[in-house]
Amino acid sequence: MNDLNPRQAEATAYLDGPLLVLAGAGSGKTRVITRKIAHLINTVGMAPHHITAVTFTNKAAQEMKARVGELLQGSNSRGLGISTFHTLGLTLLKREHKAAGLRPGFTILDTQDSEHLIREILLKDEPDNEAIRQARWQISQWKNDLLTPEAAMSRAENDLALRHGQIYAAYQRTLGAYNAVDFDDLIQLPVRLLQENADILERWRHRIHYLLVDEYQDTNSSQYELVRLLVGPRGALTVVGDDDQSIYAWRGARPENLARLKEDFPRLRVVKLEQNYRSTGRILKAANRLIANNPHVFEKSLWCDLGPGEEIRVFRCRDEENEAERVVSEIIHQKVMHRRDYGDCAILYRGNHQSRIFEKLLRLHNVPYFISGGSSFFSRTEIKDIMAYLRLLANPQDDAAFLRVVNTPRRQIGPGTLEQLSSYASDRGIPLFDAIDEMGLAERLKPAAVSRLREFSQWIRHLLRLAHEDNPVSTVRELLGDMNYEAWLYQTSPNDKAAERRTENVAELLDWLQRLHEDEMRGESLAEMISHLALMDILERQDEDSADNRVSLMTLHAAKGLEFPYVFLVGMEEELLPHRVSIEEDNIEEERRLAYVGITRARKVLHI
């Protein structure tokens, strides 16, 4: 521990009870967690499979794994658990699926799949996209707060809340019928299992002897409860957090969970990491002065020994166009006059809509740039629809793909029909698609429902034959034509312009398939082409993780955890930052925390 400062060394070695490491920005919190894991294994002698560390993103978990791997060279780290909260929940659900009422191989729905399911539930109401998003958001909040549909309905204070509760109940029934869970279930279902089953709780407490949690200020109610249950009275716990960097209240994060620790663990020890290794003195002074205006459970103040550094540069601009011109010209100046790398520069803003003018000027001046958190081509609804059809053609046993497309566009195959189909397929131990053509299905469903399902099945089988006999791209074109998918896009888009963009995306996917068929994958089957596209999706997301030598553009939310030598914090004016809604609601504490995050991303020079 020679390379740790006194506070870091204290946090790493302390094992006499629960520990909160209050880690300011750039104070080396990941170093403390990774060193503590190595200390538990190498010095204390704890078996790696009894240690679990959780964080919030795959990227953070991978970084932690890599650092621990370097520290444990030559040591046995087999079984060491380093993952996201949701991966830990998934691991628990897979092992305890019977108790959770799930069958092996259950499906996990993403946000778009959940909204698709809600759309089907609301079919008679002809719901608009905003109503669907509202319902999904409310269901997510209820799950994070561990409320059942019954509890949610009993607390409803108006008709809309009661309606959302009814949708929640139908949504849960449908998930059960599909043998599926959504993203929030990966936390709330394990919590319920641990709360209601003493044997499962004891088994998992015996499995996890020491728990470490990163970014604790970002936990929501269900994540807090999961940690509390797993740790139990032993209190073998280290959590690392910073209430000044809690910027996710809009998705359920509760910075007050740091204060709750003192109530639930009276023996809690607090170690503050206040020495910053990232930023110069003037940058830290500005950050401290700003955040001091917020109330605090734990007081702290960042300091560094890097010297005062350059003064913070504040630019007054006429409008957003003038602002973009000043920023881009400064980036070009740094590149030409001082040989700075473009990759050293980041433009940070409150909302994604602010990026457009900067993109335009960067392109105009041939400055390479990268937008972090931009929408992946493969994450768009229309692309996911077509990819699901292609997955079903490549593998008719893909139940998740089947469920996504069987009623897209609408074929009057509702949740009740699919619930009975799922139940029958489960009893027979066969995929949903195969169950359609079995004689026994007619005993469970009305003739009209069976007819609609078999019409769909026959159509897919026709396309399967076509894909083997003909150009795979021709098969996809016939698929789109048969179901009049373009008309469906116009029906389900908020306006014609959005429908045109979505239609263009589908055309781009078809062009891509055509190029694959003619060049790289001549003579390959449709299944092989689909595998290739899936790999392209993975590579595209990996590319998002690496900005290379490009100017980074991102929201303040996306910038958390990152650092850059030169930061341009743009749009620092009332109604943008702080946001208009926070001003109207007289609640700018989180806006201060956002600005604090932005300021502390800068290592050398900060432009506002």
Side-chain angles (χ1 to χ4, degrees):
M1 297 190 195
N2 294 338
D3 59 341
L4 301 178
N5 69 38
R7 296 285 77 78
Q8 290 172 334
E10 178 187 356
T12 299
Y14 183 75
L15 294 170
D16 293 335
L19 172 69
L20 165 60
V21 181
L22 201 65
S27 62
K29 66 181 179 65
T30 306
R31 174 181 287 192
V32 167
I33 292 179
T34 53
R35 289 303 170 91
K36 189 150 197 170
I37 293 170
H39 178 67
L40 286 167
I41 295 170
N42 289 338
T43 307
V44 178
M46 189 175 289
H49 64 269
H50 284 315
I51 301 169
T52 294
V54 289
T55 186
F56 280 84
T57 66
N58 284 322
K59 188 175 181 180
Q62 287 161 5
E63 181 186 343
M64 206 180 287
K65 280 179 186 173
R67 289 209 204 176
V68 171
E70 290 171 9
L71 293 171
L72 294 177
Q73 282 181 352
S75 303
N76 176 21
S77 60
R78 187 174 180 185
L80 174 64
I82 299 177
S83 70
T84 63
F85 264 103
H86 290 88
T87 303
L88 174 62
L90 177 59
T91 301
L92 192 151
L93 277 183
K94 281 181 175 177
R95 291 173 184 258
E96 313 291 351
H97 64 270
K98 277 189 181 176
L102 295 165
R103 301 186 297 281
F106 55 85
T107 299
I108 303 169
L109 304 188
D110 64 13
T111 300
Q112 289 184 340
D113 292 331
S114 295
E115 289 182 357
H116 184 79
L117 203 59
I118 292 169
R119 183 182 293 280
E120 294 305 311
I121 291 167
L122 294 174
L123 197 57
K124 293 174 187 171
D125 299 339
E126 291 295 331
D128 61 34
N129 292 333
E130 185 55 33
I132 291 165
R133 278 194 293 270
Q134 271 191 2
R136 192 202 62 78
W137 182 86
Q138 183 59 76
I139 291 168
S140 177
Q141 292 299 105
W142 280 329
K143 288 189 177 189
N144 288 339
D145 290 337
L146 300 172
L147 289 177
T148 62
E150 295 72 28
M153 283 187 277
S154 71
R155 297 186 185 190
E157 296 180 352
N158 53 49
D159 290 345
L160 180 62
L162 181 61
R163 180 66 181 129
H164 282 158
Q166 293 165 344
I167 295 166
Y168 182 15
Y171 176 79
Q172 287 304 103
R173 283 196 301 274
T174 310
L175 283 180
Y178 289 1
N179 191 35
V181 297
D182 65 18
F183 201 57
D184 299 308
D185 286 331
L186 297 178
I187 305 295
Q188 70 104 3
L189 280 178
V191 168
R192 291 194 188 286
L193 285 177
L194 297 174
Q195 286 174 332
E196 298 167 3
N197 192 311
D199 289 342
I200 293 175
L201 179 62
E202 189 56 37
R203 183 155 61 243
W204 281 84
R205 283 181 177 174
H206 179 72
R207 176 189 172 97
I208 298 175
H209 289 187
Y210 203 93
L211 182 64
L212 304 99
V213 185
D214 190 17
E215 303 286 11
Y216 201 72
Q217 76 281 349
D218 292 338
T219 54
N220 58 32
S221 298
S222 57
Q223 287 161 338
Y224 181 92
E225 188 64 13
L226 181 64
V227 169
R228 195 185 67 78
L229 287 163
L230 289 172
V231 171
R234 278 203 318 266
L237 170 73
T238 290
V239 306
V240 181
D242 180 6
D243 50 350
D244 290 333
Q245 294 189 75
S246 181
I247 58 174
Y248 293 113
W250 51 277
R251 68 181 191 200
R254 301 283 176 88
E256 61 268 27
N257 284 348
L258 289 169
R260 281 183 66 190
L261 282 168
K262 292 173 74 174
E263 300 165 15
D264 289 330
F265 300 98
R267 295 189 300 128
L268 182 74
R269 173 105 161 240
V270 179
V271 174
K272 298 178 184 179
L273 303 185
E274 297 173 293
Q275 182 176 0
N276 176 284
Y277 293 92
R278 174 190 299 156
S279 306
T280 58
R282 284 191 171 101
I283 292 169
L284 295 182
K285 184 179 179 183
N288 287 333
R289 285 282 293 275
L290 169 73
I291 208 65
N293 291 287
N294 273 7
H296 287 85
V297 177
F298 306 100
E299 296 293 338
K300 69 177 185 311
S301 182
L302 295 178
W303 61 275
C304 72
D305 55 13
L306 300 174
E310 294 192 34
E311 290 189 356
I312 294 173
R313 301 172 184 176
V314 179
F315 296 88
R316 291 183 180 274
C317 304
R318 291 190 307 277
D319 51 31
E320 61 267 33
E321 288 193 10
N322 180 229
E323 177 182 55
E325 288 165 2
R326 296 283 294 273
V327 169
V328 174
S329 65
E330 178 64 23
I331 289 171
I332 294 169
H333 175 78
Q334 291 293 331
K335 172 72 173 175
V336 174
M337 302 303 294
H338 302 289
R339 302 285 183 193
R340 312 291 190 210
D341 287 336
Y342 287 131
D344 287 343
C345 301
I347 302 172
L348 309 182
Y349 36 77
R350 179 65 175 81
N352 275 311
H353 67 279
Q354 291 170 263
S355 72
R356 186 185 56 80
I357 187 87
F358 294 98
E359 290 183 73
K360 177 182 170 184
L361 279 173
L362 289 166
R363 282 198 302 266
L364 185 66
H365 292 284
N366 293 316
V367 176
Y369 68 90
F370 170 80
I371 299 184
S372 178
S375 180
S376 159
F377 179 72
F378 287 95
S379 71
R380 294 171 176 136
T381 303
E382 60 277 10
I383 301 303
K384 289 187 75 169
D385 282 349
I386 306 308
M387 286 296 290
Y389 269 109
L390 299 183
R391 277 167 43 204
L392 189 64
L393 289 177
N395 173 21
Q397 298 188 332
D398 187 334
D399 282 353
F402 173 86
L403 289 169
R404 183 174 182 97
V405 303
V406 68
N407 208 35
T408 304
R410 289 176 189 149
R411 299 183 175 90
Q412 295 181 289
I413 300 173
T417 298
L418 293 173
E419 192 171 344
Q420 290 296 330
L421 175 66
S422 178
S423 173
Y424 178 81
S426 176
D427 291 346
R428 295 278 293 119
I430 57 176
L432 296 171
F433 187 76
D434 291 350
I436 291 174
D437 293 322
E438 291 217 344
M439 298 296 291
L441 184 64
E443 297 171 12
R444 304 272 187 106
L445 286 169
K446 293 178 180 176
V450 173
S451 174
R452 284 192 286 268
L453 281 171
R454 288 186 175 156
E455 188 178 329
F456 175 76
S457 165
Q458 287 162 11
W459 176 57
I460 293 294
R461 291 188 191 283
H462 161 70
L463 292 170
L464 278 167
R465 287 191 297 273
L466 200 63
H468 287 298
E469 297 166 3
D470 198 359
N471 173 348
V473 186
S474 301
T475 306
V476 180
R477 292 189 190 281
E478 180 161 333
L479 180 152
L480 293 169
D482 285 351
M483 62 183 181
N484 201 2
Y485 190 69
E486 185 173 339
W488 167 250
L489 291 180
Y490 274 88
Q491 285 174 33
T492 56
S493 297
N495 52 57
D496 284 356
K497 193 166 185 179
E500 285 170 21
R501 282 198 303 271
R502 296 175 71 188
T503 304
E504 287 167 5
N505 289 334
V506 173
E508 187 178 331
L509 180 64
L510 281 173
D511 289 344
W512 197 350
L513 278 168
Q514 188 67 46
R515 288 196 301 273
L516 282 176
H517 177 68
E518 291 174 354
D519 302 328
E520 298 173 51
M521 304 193 71
R522 182 179 292 276
E524 301 284 13
S525 69
L526 184 62
E528 286 159 331
M529 291 170 70
I530 301 314
S531 297
H532 183 80
L533 283 177
L535 178 59
M536 291 299 101
D537 181 17
I538 293 166
L539 292 175
E540 182 177 299
R541 281 185 270 123
Q542 284 177 344
D543 183 54
E544 287 181 14
D545 292 336
S546 172
D548 298 321
N549 190 20
R550 295 177 276 172
V551 176
S552 292
L553 279 70
M554 65 186 73
T555 64
L556 289 161
H557 287 98
K560 188 163 170 284
L562 303 176
E563 59 183 69
F564 304 90
Y566 304 93
V567 165
F568 297 85
L569 191 49
V570 302
M572 281 283 282
E573 59 182 86
E574 286 196 11
E575 300 205 352
L576 271 178
L577 183 65
H579 195 274
R580 177 176 52 81
V581 173
S582 69
I583 297 171
E584 290 171 353
E585 295 177 354
D586 192 24
N587 173 28
I588 63 168
E589 287 177 17
E590 181 142 340
E591 298 296 296
R592 282 198 197 102
R593 293 195 291 266
L594 266 175
Y596 175 85
V597 166
I599 291 168
T600 54
R601 296 314 93 194
R603 283 167 46 197
K604 294 181 180 178
V605 182
L606 174 65
H607 306 77
I608 295 178

